[in-house]
């Protein structure tokens, strides 16, 4: 499972043409899922709350027009469908926002790990080296005292 998660993190953080193609395909399928959520789950209760109105059926009908003695079917402005499309967009945008937020968080975490790995740790001073430094400092101090007297 850990290997799968690491592989997915690499996929999500690194970008190339194949990854982008896969993203477009998944995005198209995801759009259909969101449309179904809006049409089949979110909109029916909203329509019920406002009196049984089905948003997809909301429209304004323009007057019929006579052309060459023949009456044409009246045109409609389907603003209910437009409302549903806006809701689709808002839900998709929110999901994409959360996805991008997660990907950015993973990218920052990975960048920190890479920076941490790239920084060479300062060499650790052994006990012997510490002792030698102390001896050197003591000898310097003695020499300076001897020069003063």
């Amino acid at each position: 499972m850990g290997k799968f998660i690491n592989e997915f993190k690499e996929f999500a953080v690194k970008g190339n043409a194949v990854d982008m193609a896969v993203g477009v395909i998944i995005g198209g399928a995801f759009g259909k899922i969101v449309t179904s959520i809006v049409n089949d789950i979110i909109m029916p209760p909203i329509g019920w709350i406002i009196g049984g109105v089905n948003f997809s059926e909301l429209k304004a009908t323009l007057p019929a027009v006579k052309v060459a003695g023949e009456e044409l079917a009246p045109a409609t402005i389907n603003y209910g469908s437009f409302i549903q499309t806006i809701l689709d967009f808002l839900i998709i945008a929110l999901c994409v926002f959360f996805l991008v937020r997660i990907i950015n968080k993973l990218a920052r975490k990975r960048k920190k790990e890479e920076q941490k790995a790239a920084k060479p740790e300062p060499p650790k001073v052994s006990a012997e080296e510490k002792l030698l430094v102390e001896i050197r400092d003591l000898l310097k101090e003695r020499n300076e005292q001897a020069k003063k007297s």
Side-chain angles (χ1 to χ4, degrees):
M1 186 67 176
K3 184 179 177 184
F4 173 79
I5 291 172
N6 287 334
E7 188 175 343
F8 180 73
K9 280 199 289 189
E10 281 184 29
F11 169 80
V13 176
K14 289 184 180 177
N16 63 32
V18 174
D19 293 344
M20 194 155 73
V22 170
V24 168
I25 292 168
I26 290 174
F30 183 71
K32 290 179 183 179
I33 291 170
V34 171
T35 300
S36 176
I37 289 171
V38 170
N39 292 340
D40 302 329
I41 296 173
I42 295 174
M43 295 311 286
I46 291 174
W48 178 76
I49 289 170
I50 61 172
V53 176
N54 182 353
F55 275 90
S56 62
E57 295 174 4
L58 293 177
K59 59 186 170 189
T61 304
L62 300 175
V65 178
K66 289 185 179 182
V67 176
E70 213 179 298
E71 190 170 319
L72 300 176
T76 60
I77 299 173
N78 302 321
Y79 63 91
S81 178
F82 179 68
I83 291 171
Q84 281 196 298
T85 302
I86 289 173
L87 282 173
D88 284 355
F89 170 76
L90 291 174
I91 291 171
I92 290 172
L94 185 66
C95 292
V96 168
F97 168 74
F98 285 127
L99 182 64
V100 168
R101 190 172 170 202
I102 290 169
I103 290 172
N104 286 341
K105 190 179 282 188
L106 291 173
R108 282 192 300 268
K109 184 178 178 182
R110 183 173 182 177
K111 188 175 180 181
K112 282 181 184 179
E113 289 172 359
E114 287 174 354
Q115 287 176 344
K116 189 177 181 181
K119 286 182 183 177
E121 289 189 32
K124 294 186 178 184
V125 180
S126 69
E128 296 157 342
E129 289 176 318
K130 285 181 184 178
L131 229 124
L132 288 170
V133 168
E134 287 177 19
I135 294 170
R136 181 196 65 197
D137 293 343
L138 286 171
L139 288 172
K140 272 186 184 178
E141 197 176 303
R142 237 191 218 170
N143 285 337
E144 287 175 7
Q145 287 177 357
K147 286 181 184 179
K148 286 181 183 178
S149 40

